[in-house]
Amino acid sequence: MTTRVRFAPSPTGYLHIGSARTALFNYLYARNVGGKFLLRIEDTDMERSTEESTRSIIEGLKWLGLDYDEEIIFQSNNAEKHRQIALKLLNEGKAYRDFTPKAETSDKNIKETIASRARENQGEKSMRDNPFRDLEQEESDAKANSGEPFAIRLKVAETGKTSFEDAVYGLQERDYSEIEDLVLLRSDGHPLYNLAVVCDDIEMEITDVIRGQDHLTNTHKQVLIYEALGKTPPRFAHLPLILAPNKGKLSKRKHGAVVSMTTYRDKGFVAAAFRNFLALLGWSAGEEREIYSLVELIEKFSLDHIHRSNAVFNFNETYERHWTDDKALWMNAEYIRTMPFDDLLPLVKNELKSAKLWRDEYEDDDKEWCEQTINLIRERFFTLKDFSEQGRAYFSEDYDFDEKAIEKNLKKFPDLQTWLPELANHLESVENFTHDNIEAVIKEFVEAKGTKFGVIMNGARTLLTGLAVGPSMLAVFETLGKEKSILRLKSQIAWN
RNA sequence: GGUCUGUUCGUCUAGGGGUCUAGGACACCGCCCUUUCACGGCGGCGACACGGGUUCAAAUCCCGUACAGACUACCA
């Protein structure tokens, strides 16, 4: 039997990094064993599901390079099938009608309400004391026929236990007495999550369910449904959760943009880098290595190296520099500075285009210059955004000057106001505007003025790039070229 | 409250009875390189939650405690 796994997000928001990681692991697992990776949108919660979320999830997967096989399944399309299956279980006596009126739950502190309700019922109420559980067939039919609303609940046996072998957490057992007669079908006919998941997984012939650890306890209920349906459950593998820095739940509402995949795309992350980072959250190949290509990840991935403990996604809202996990940031920089130029170029092109800095000559007449320049500046860039922001002066005459750079490198040495334009005149004479030739002229100039090489270089850097930091200044001169270098050295804008 | 799960440097992790005075990466700090720097090189700081066992030997096995997380819904 070929392996079939699925990623089944509910479209109630953009793609969350936790979900993205679940998708990644499913994908890696499928590709590793040569199986299928399917996508199912669990849009049964009509009130919260949106088409926009679905789009953003698909986009996110595409960005990460996680291409799915076969058609997307929308769970809402299967509602009728789910209903029929619930009815079938009812007819077989494996489920029963519960005529208890639906209890109103206030949405606000739902978790607390449920916990306190459970606390109150502690010891007093058995999971099996529903008055309708053993209602005579005729009586139940009569009530139903008279139009009385009812939910359908699974009839969980009095004694026994469910068990399954989790690929990550090992043998899991749970006594029936701990499991309530779960609702399969709501009184309005709407199928509930546990039923829907099981039915769809069966229909999609899913062999391995890889999902977040928050479903570990739900799995027992699902196993019960599989059993009632006479089907063998798939293999389960639960993944440790990704937590916020305070070790609490990482939520869209509380933590905002840092948990959204689109943020990383928009903030200039290289998809391969983020994917690499995500792969190492809760899994490792057991080697002293961090950088893995997709092919290597697929090759090395296996369920038995998945962690059992949750991972913290470390970020600090108060420091801009640490707005997301440092390691993710580092990895992105690592990719930017080491990836093959041909892979990087399209990403830079895209960034420059959206900043209106791209010119078609960069792939034509100026191809060589473009490559040299990108290779020069990528050395100390962290995100793709840096190409259009810190790197702006390389692609445009319209760039900003950093106040601190002006203070530190220009205003502190007032002589530079006349020296730099003077240096420009000396540079006019350089025939071949290369590193060595430029250096010779500047060295000579420095000597004549009795100043330090650094003073001139840093002043020039500020004028030429607007920044106090950057690559070797001689290389900057060379890449900018004679004309622009001279023009900028003579410019007085920064001084005002 | 109950059930389940987990706990190695600040964070991600290696480790599965002796090779552990616990390894790597990020972050942080210092030094070097240097015209600057968020590049590079070298180095430093820094962890087996706690308490009991088992064993010649325990980060590794067992028990307890603490803490954390998940679930406990006619949400998904």
Side-chain angles (χ1 to χ4, degrees):
Chain A
M1 193 158 64
T2 70
T3 295
R4 292 166 67 84
V5 302
R6 86 300 196 275
F7 171 51
S10 55
T12 55
Y14 42 68
L15 186 60
H16 182 282
I17 62 167
S19 314
R21 196 273 242 110
T22 301
L24 211 213
F25 283 21
N26 271 284
Y27 174 88
L28 294 177
Y29 181 73
R31 294 291 175 262
N32 174 271
V33 300
K36 300 278 188 205
F37 169 63
L38 313 178
L39 177 60
R40 180 174 74 225
I41 303 292
E42 306 211 324
D43 56 347
T44 56
D45 187 341
M46 292 308 196
E47 281 165 29
R48 292 193 298 153
S49 299
T50 66
E51 254 177 64
E52 206 205 320
S53 300
T54 303
R55 259 200 309 278
S56 122
I57 287 167
I58 294 170
E59 252 174 55
L61 292 178
K62 193 176 165 199
W63 184 67
L64 281 172
L66 309 182
D67 42 302
Y68 47 86
D69 305 304
E70 303 183 5
E71 291 296 301
I72 303 177
I73 303 289
F74 288 88
Q75 190 162 65
S76 58
N77 291 154
N78 297 341
E80 189 46 41
K81 284 183 201 161
H82 302 155
R83 244 189 304 278
Q84 291 312 318
I85 289 170
L87 258 19
K88 177 175 162 260
L89 289 175
L90 178 66
N91 288 334
E92 291 171 354
K94 290 172 178 163
Y96 63 92
R97 295 190 186 96
D98 181 3
F99 295 95
T100 313
K102 183 182 172 185
E104 282 307 321
T105 41
S106 60
D107 273 3
K108 292 233 161 171
N109 301 327
I110 188 103
K111 293 263 179 193
E112 284 168 42
T113 316
I114 290 161
S116 66
R117 188 198 303 168
R119 232 177 321 239
E120 281 164 28
N121 292 345
Q122 196 64 49
E124 296 172 20
K125 263 175 98 178
S126 143
M127 295 288 195
R128 311 283 161 259
D129 66 357
N130 188 306
F132 301 101
R133 182 178 155 98
D134 295 308
L135 201 63
E136 289 298 322
Q137 176 79 38
E138 290 130 48
E139 203 177 331
S140 173
D141 288 349
K143 278 169 92 74
N145 289 336
S146 76
E148 229 183 286
F150 58 87
I152 295 182
R153 306 189 93 110
L154 186 71
K155 204 169 191 173
V156 179
E158 300 273 0
T159 56
K161 63 183 176 186
T162 51
S163 76
F164 63 92
E165 184 71 29
D166 189 272
V168 174
Y169 290 92
L171 180 68
Q172 301 294 311
E173 292 184 318
R174 196 162 203 209
D175 203 278
Y176 287 166
S177 63
E178 300 292 339
I179 307 172
E180 80 274 14
D181 284 345
L182 60 146
V183 172
L184 266 16
L185 210 62
R186 247 161 44 178
S187 49
D188 62 3
H190 185 88
L192 252 21
Y193 175 73
N194 285 306
L195 204 226
V197 168
V198 171
C199 292
D200 287 348
D201 283 341
I202 291 171
E203 177 156 321
M204 290 167 77
E205 300 180 305
I206 299 302
T207 57
D208 298 75
V209 170
I210 304 170
R211 75 223 311 186
Q213 189 238 56
D214 46 343
H215 289 291
L216 195 59
T217 33
N218 274 330
T219 307
H220 289 100
K221 298 177 188 170
Q222 294 175 14
V223 167
L224 245 21
I225 299 177
Y226 277 103
E227 285 170 359
L229 257 22
K231 303 282 184 185
T232 347
R235 196 153 83 111
F236 293 102
H238 287 88
L239 271 22
L241 267 18
I242 298 178
L243 270 23
N246 66 357
K247 298 195 194 301
K249 205 170 181 173
L250 191 56
S251 84
K252 300 173 185 177
R253 227 196 62 221
K254 263 172 87 177
H255 307 284
V258 261
V259 306
S260 167
M261 283 312 297
T262 52
T263 302
Y264 296 89
R265 194 235 286 136
D266 298 344
K267 284 217 174 194
F269 266 72
V270 174
F274 201 74
R275 189 173 58 208
N276 192 158
F277 168 76
L278 239 30
L280 263 22
L281 230 43
W283 173 83
S284 89
E287 321 175 293
E288 292 187 347
R289 177 152 65 125
E290 324 290 323
I291 306 294
Y292 294 94
S293 68
L294 221 212
V295 174
E296 289 170 319
L297 286 176
I298 289 170
E299 219 168 79
K300 291 173 184 286
F301 189 79
S302 99
L303 259 21
D304 43 52
H305 274 92
I306 293 176
H307 259 219
R308 273 170 289 272
S309 55
N310 297 336
V312 170
F313 184 64
N314 208 11
F315 58 91
N316 193 326
E317 283 131 321
T318 53
Y319 295 100
E320 179 55 26
R321 224 167 95 73
H322 302 283
W323 69 272
T324 188
D325 197 291
D326 285 324
K327 201 155 184 174
L329 248 13
W330 166 80
M331 202 166 275
N332 201 47
E334 185 70 16
Y335 268 77
I336 286 177
R337 71 175 89 94
T338 62
M339 69 198 287
F341 176 77
D342 290 342
D343 293 344
L344 179 64
L345 183 62
L347 305 179
V348 175
K349 177 178 174 180
N350 188 45
E351 174 58 34
L352 292 182
K353 266 194 168 168
S354 62
K356 302 213 172 11
L357 296 174
W358 178 260
R359 296 188 312 138
D360 288 338
E361 293 85 80
Y362 293 158
E363 274 179 325
D364 191 6
D365 292 351
D366 291 340
K367 198 174 164 198
E368 205 179 318
W369 175 83
C370 177
E371 179 164 352
Q372 266 176 20
T373 303
I374 289 176
N375 282 337
L376 178 68
I377 60 182
R378 61 144 112 173
E379 272 309 308
R380 54 211 82 198
F381 281 177
F382 269 61
T383 73
L384 262 12
K385 276 267 164 284
D386 292 335
F387 285 95
S388 66
E389 290 169 3
Q390 293 189 51
R392 195 176 171 90
Y394 295 90
F395 305 101
S396 166
E397 288 309 310
D398 175 28
Y399 55 93
D400 292 332
F401 292 90
D402 175 43
E403 274 309 315
K404 280 188 198 142
I406 291 175
E407 283 302 323
K408 185 179 143 206
N409 295 333
L410 292 179
K411 297 203 168 159
K412 232 172 108 185
F413 308 98
D415 285 338
L416 288 174
Q417 191 157 10
T418 53
W419 287 355
L420 263 11
E422 208 178 310
L423 174 64
N425 290 332
H426 283 75
L427 289 172
E428 291 275 13
S429 66
V430 180
E431 291 261 326
N432 215 348
F433 208 68
T434 60
H435 183 284
D436 293 352
N437 295 345
I438 300 163
E439 186 175 27
V441 170
I442 296 177
K443 282 245 164 93
E444 199 181 307
F445 184 80
V446 165
E447 215 153 299
K449 296 296 174 193
T451 183
K452 283 193 216 156
F453 193 65
V455 172
I456 298 297
M457 289 309 226
N458 288 330
R461 180 193 309 287
T462 306
L463 241 30
L464 265 60
T465 68
L467 300 172
V469 302
S472 159
M473 211 32 221
L474 292 166
V476 173
F477 272 120
E478 192 179 318
T479 203
L480 244 24
K482 187 168 164 179
E483 198 183 329
K484 281 185 186 173
S485 297
I486 289 172
L487 204 71
R488 293 183 187 185
L489 283 177
K490 287 184 172 174
S491 159
Q492 293 288 315
I493 313 171
W495 291 93
N496 304 321

